[in-house]
Amino acid sequence: MKLEDLKIKIFADGADIKSMKEEYHKGIVKGFTTNPTLMRKAGVADYVSFLNELVHEIPDLPLSFEVFSDDFPTMEREALKLSGLGSNVVVKIPISNTKGESSADLIHRLSEQGVSLNVTAVLTIRQVKEAISALVPGKRNYVSVFAGRIADTGINPIPVMAEATDICHQKAGTEVLWASCREVLNIVQAQEAGVDIITVTYDILRKLPLLGKDNEVLSLETVRMFYSDAQSLGYTII
């Protein structure tokens, strides 16, 4: 499979504005996601200023912004404020709070108010069904299933993602999103499973030109890299 064969939508996942703007202008990615952990790593100091800049710089692609609070009334107020930043904003709501209490009622209230939602931190089919039951049909919504984290537990995520896709497609306007992508292969796997969207880090985006590359050529390039690095070290064995 080559890059031009990809039909799945690729969303960039990160919080570095420079990288986000660069990917936007390349025209490959079809949306952007971020989260508090990524923003902490990127050193984002002012969340609202960061979001306003993104809405200004990327006005015509979906931007997923996450609420920060843990109690549902505050989450709801945050979600409404985030949604008001731009028509392309999709609000990320975790499937539960830190106490394990379901966010389903909040998701339903926000969905009824016309807020586009990205239900996040989903790892089980039970949670997928819970999210889908809460969403109102017709509005742009995503259910983010963390396939990479599922794989981290030793479970093959592909059957889970295929089933999640079938469930999500029963609710008009809702797409399933393969989250926590670990490698370029995951993009191919997600497309083969029928997934609508995959979030990809900037490190993996930089590897996209490798998609479909001749492995004989890649082998030779690898040998040359090892040789060049060995020469630069100045070591001797004999």
Side-chain angles (χ1 to χ4, degrees):
M1 182 178 289
K2 296 182 179 180
L3 185 59
E4 56 266 28
D5 298 323
L6 290 179
K7 306 302 180 187
I8 190 170
K9 288 183 282 190
I10 295 175
F11 282 15
D13 192 33
D16 177 71
I17 286 187
K18 181 181 177 183
S19 296
M20 296 172 88
K21 290 193 290 187
E22 287 174 355
E23 293 302 332
Y24 172 65
H25 290 294
K26 287 178 185 177
I28 295 175
V29 302
K30 304 303 180 184
F32 294 83
T33 62
T34 188
N35 62 51
T37 301
L38 292 171
M39 283 182 274
R40 178 181 58 80
K41 290 179 179 178
V44 175
D46 186 322
Y47 188 36
V48 175
S49 295
F50 168 77
L51 302 185
N52 279 320
E53 182 176 354
L54 278 180
V55 171
H56 175 73
E57 295 289 344
I58 306 172
D60 55 351
L61 292 180
L63 301 172
S64 286
F65 300 150
E66 189 159 346
V67 297
F68 276 8
S69 295
D70 196 45
D71 66 278
F72 297 124
T74 307
M75 277 191 200
E76 185 167 0
R77 293 197 299 272
E78 289 177 340
L80 293 172
K81 181 173 182 179
L82 292 176
S83 179
L85 294 177
S87 60
N88 59 330
V89 171
V90 181
V91 180
K92 294 178 76 173
I93 302 290
I95 191 64
S96 74
N97 64 9
T98 63
K99 302 177 185 67
E101 298 166 337
S102 173
S103 301
D105 288 345
L106 171 62
I107 291 166
H108 186 67
R109 286 198 304 274
L110 289 169
S111 190
E112 281 193 318
Q113 294 177 72
V115 178
S116 287
L117 297 173
N118 181 339
V119 184
T120 190
V122 174
L123 274 86
T124 69
I125 292 299
R126 180 194 66 77
Q127 291 174 327
V128 172
K129 292 177 179 178
E130 185 178 322
I132 285 298
S133 295
L135 290 168
V136 172
K139 193 72 177 175
R140 176 174 60 192
N141 295 304
Y142 309 130
V143 176
S144 290
V145 184
F146 282 54
R149 292 185 182 238
I150 293 171
D152 287 342
T153 69
I155 295 173
N156 181 359
I158 297 174
V160 177
M161 297 307 299
E163 184 175 357
T165 300
D166 289 341
I167 294 168
C168 288
H169 286 175
Q170 295 172 19
K171 184 66 61 90
T174 300
E175 296 179 294
V176 67
L177 185 153
W178 177 306
S180 64
C181 173
R182 305 292 200 230
E183 55 194 356
V184 173
L185 174 61
N186 294 156
I187 302 173
V188 177
Q189 292 171 324
Q191 176 160 302
E192 290 176 347
V195 173
D196 302 294
I197 304 163
I198 186 166
T199 53
V200 179
T201 64
Y202 296 98
D203 286 343
I204 296 175
L205 283 172
R206 285 191 283 270
K207 292 182 181 180
L208 279 181
L210 291 173
L211 191 62
K213 185 164 185 169
D214 187 315
N215 280 316
E216 292 284 349
V217 173
L218 186 57
S219 173
L220 182 56
E221 289 177 355
T222 303
V223 171
R224 287 171 174 168
M225 178 186 70
F226 290 160
Y227 178 76
S228 176
D229 288 342
Q231 294 297 302
S232 69
L233 291 170
Y235 294 161
T236 59
I237 299 174
I238 55 174

